[in-house]
Amino acid sequence: MGLLSMLGLGSKSESIKEFTDKGAVIIDVRSPGEFQGGHIKGSKNIPLNTIGNQIDAIKKGNKPVIVCCASGMRSAQAASILKSNGIEVINGGGWQGLESKL
């Protein structure tokens, strides 16, 4: 991670690239119905209300995580939960915006 990113000053695109270069897993925290309506190819759907129950499974993947949702609000909550459990994570924001950065 670059110095600017560590200070929270780097661009989100650079951080996303750093995470994807490390083989990050993309977790979409929207509801299953929203996910079925469109999502990033290869992303995993773990709704926000269940992410706390999936911590061990996410840790077993041993990869950094990019979380996304519809607008970035739920993914911000998910990122906070994952970070507090020692998982390297970044909030990718809304899934459509994130998809354009991949």
Side-chain angles (χ1 to χ4, degrees):
M1 184 182 284
L3 178 60
L4 290 177
S5 295
M6 289 191 315
L7 296 173
L9 301 172
S11 79
K12 188 179 276 190
S13 294
E14 288 174 0
S15 297
I16 289 167
K17 179 168 179 5
E18 288 174 19
F19 271 59
T20 55
D21 287 350
K22 292 191 275 185
V25 173
I26 299 171
I27 297 177
D28 189 319
V29 298
R30 296 176 297 150
S31 71
E34 288 174 292
F35 186 78
Q36 287 175 348
H39 58 271
I40 296 171
K41 185 177 180 178
S43 62
K44 296 179 189 217
N45 182 219
I46 304 176
L48 177 60
N49 65 340
T50 65
I51 202 145
N53 300 330
Q54 300 294 324
I55 299 295
D56 289 339
I58 294 168
K59 281 185 172 181
K60 280 183 188 167
N62 203 28
K63 294 193 182 272
V65 173
I66 301 171
V67 287
C68 64
C69 63
S71 68
M73 296 298 286
R74 286 176 282 182
S75 54
Q77 290 178 292
S80 178
I81 292 166
L82 296 176
K83 190 172 285 195
S84 70
N85 281 280
I87 295 170
E88 185 179 8
V89 61
I90 186 173
N91 178 6
W95 75 272
Q96 290 173 316
L98 174 58
E99 188 174 44
S100 72
K101 294 178 182 127
L102 297 174

